Amino acid sequence: MKPWLAIVGIGEDGVDGLAASTRALVDSAEILAGGTRHLSHISCAHPAQRLAWTTPFDRSVAALRETEGRRVVVLASGDPMHYGVGATLARELPEAIAAVIPAPSAFSLAAARLRWPLHEVDCLSLHGRPAETLYLHVSPGARLLILSADADTPARVAGMLTARGYGPSRISVFERMGGAQEARRDALAHQWGDGPVASLNTIAVECVAGPGAARLARIPGLPDDAFEHDGMITKREIRAVTLAALAPQPGQLLWDIGAGSGSVAVEWMRAGGRAIAVEHDRDRAAMAARNALTLGVPQLDVVVESAPAALAGLEAPDAVFVGGGITTAGVFDRCWNALVPGGRLVANAVTIEGESALAALRREHGGDLVRLAVSRLSLVGTRHGWRPSMTVTQWSVDKR
């Protein structure tokens, strides 16, 4: 069967803004699918069957599968492949898609109105995603374009920026861009207020740090006090070396075994990866989840159970960090067997028993074994001296 489904992006001007060839595609459709707002742009006189999206969206995907062989047009907002339904359908129904025809996205329209070079802007969506995703992108001088979830999103974003010390940030909210009712509202984050905003809006933020605002880099090695912890945390310097050894890559999955506060998993995700944090202590697991929210990676998956039992059924990892439990029977074997070919495993130990286990594993599997020692300046009476932390032995190895 040939592909039967076309995905057409439309703006606030509806089908009137489509090119003639695209309009002909819509006019000849036997089935029109999309959100209620998208379908409302189509004249009641159009003879096509209407298929409105339902929740959960899996039901809509199943309904589309049943239309195989008919002329189906999916209507979407702007660019369907940029945080749009096109990306979902390309994953779920790749064999069905005959064409994707984008319209200018909300990002493109907002960037044009602000005269912002789009390649210099962080584009993100809070539609159907935790608002805390914003925190990952907030830094001095950053420019953000944000797809809103609803009319309340601008005020929430303004409040989150202000709470983080970015109250002087400049916010512009664009409503119904590209249509006759287009409007714009501008204010500083700490002066935003709660005035009415249309449900369909896009937020632009030019981040300005106020005095004392947090300045958190994306590169590994956040300050320890950026995390909530009870002392069970891979310390900043060791964490930076550990992440360098793990070598995060966008989209790759990390297992963080004995995650504690989740600091390694969180920083892996801030570098663009995905992570599963395994921690048997419920209080620490809860801390890891809160740290993920606070630091802008709310998608962290926290498993509250002891390894190796916790690892059964998990998606195979591209990398594994064993921060605790390398001497526990079965932990290494389960991790090593699950690790994808070419994946990387890094384990840290601070005890003689842990170091002995790492030395034995190196003899069997190769890899690099290093000792990491960090000393910090501290008071010694009325003077200062170097106070060493516990030495960490680190083993890193690639699975050939």
Side-chain angles (χ1 to χ4, degrees), residues 306-368:
S306 297
L311 309 180
L314 298 183
E315 180 183 348
D318 301 286
V320 176
F321 172 57
V322 184
I326 195 62
T327 59
T328 301
V331 167
F332 171 77
D333 289 339
R334 184 69 65 88
C335 291
W336 188 252
N337 291 335
L339 187 64
V340 301
R344 191 157 180 78
L345 185 144
V346 176
N348 291 353
V350 296
T351 65
I352 289 294
E353 292 79 6
E355 185 176 88
S356 297
L358 295 183
L361 289 169
R362 180 187 174 278
R363 285 193 295 272
E364 182 177 354
H365 297 279
D368 296 320

Side-chain angles (χ1 to χ4, degrees), residues 23 129 167 205 247 291 356 398:
R23 178 66 182 267
R129 294 169 174 81
V205 178
N291 283 327
S356 297
D398 294 327

Side-chain angles (χ1 to χ4, degrees), residues 166-203:
Y166 283 79
S169 297
R170 290 178 285 276
I171 296 180
S172 299
V173 172
F174 298 94
E175 305 175 29
R176 300 184 177 281
M177 281 188 294
Q181 299 180 50
E182 179 171 335
R184 173 176 174 174
R185 178 181 170 189
D186 300 275
L188 299 182
H190 64 85
Q191 296 173 341
W192 183 258
D194 57 359
V197 176
S199 296
L200 183 63
N201 68 82
T202 302
I203 307 168

Side-chain angles (χ1 to χ4, degrees), residues 59 61 96 111 115 126 128 153 175 184 233 293 321 324 329 343 357 364:
R59 295 178 183 173
V61 173
R115 314 297 191 264
L126 300 185
T153 307
E175 305 175 29
R184 173 176 174 174
I233 182 173
L293 282 173
F321 172 57
E364 182 177 354

